[in-house]
Amino acid sequence: MPETRHNIPPEFLDAADQFVQLANKMTDEYGRGWVAAAMMYATARFNAFAWLTREERLDQTLDQAAAYYASE
């Protein structure tokens, strides 16, 4: 599988580009600040869902998870 110069798989970048394309489309109606806030809110909600339904690191506490997300 070819990789980008930062060793990020192209399909990962393609998936990210889909989110960016949707955000760009939404800015026509809502404006950048509103769309940026909506994206951050959605990302936070999805990350909480991903953590709650994880299949690995089941011993990780909520405080440890919060520290991890805050450091990224």
Side-chain angles (χ1 to χ4, degrees):
M1 152 180 22
E3 303 239 340
T4 65
R5 71 177 189 185
H6 297 291
N7 296 323
I8 300 171
E11 57 273 8
F12 180 89
L13 296 175
D14 291 341
D17 284 345
Q18 289 182 46
F19 288 110
V20 172
Q21 288 170 10
L22 176 60
N24 288 338
K25 183 178 177 182
M26 292 178 74
T27 60
D28 293 339
E29 184 173 348
Y30 299 106
R32 283 187 202 152
W34 191 93
V35 173
M39 285 183 67
M40 287 188 281
Y41 179 72
T43 299
R45 288 184 60 197
F46 184 78
N47 284 334
F49 166 78
W51 184 77
L52 287 170
T53 59
R54 70 198 181 280
E55 295 179 3
E56 297 175 0
R57 298 198 62 189
L58 297 177
D59 61 330
Q60 184 183 47
T61 67
L62 179 57
D63 287 339
Q64 291 169 330
Y68 168 77
Y69 284 118
S71 71
E72 287 299 304

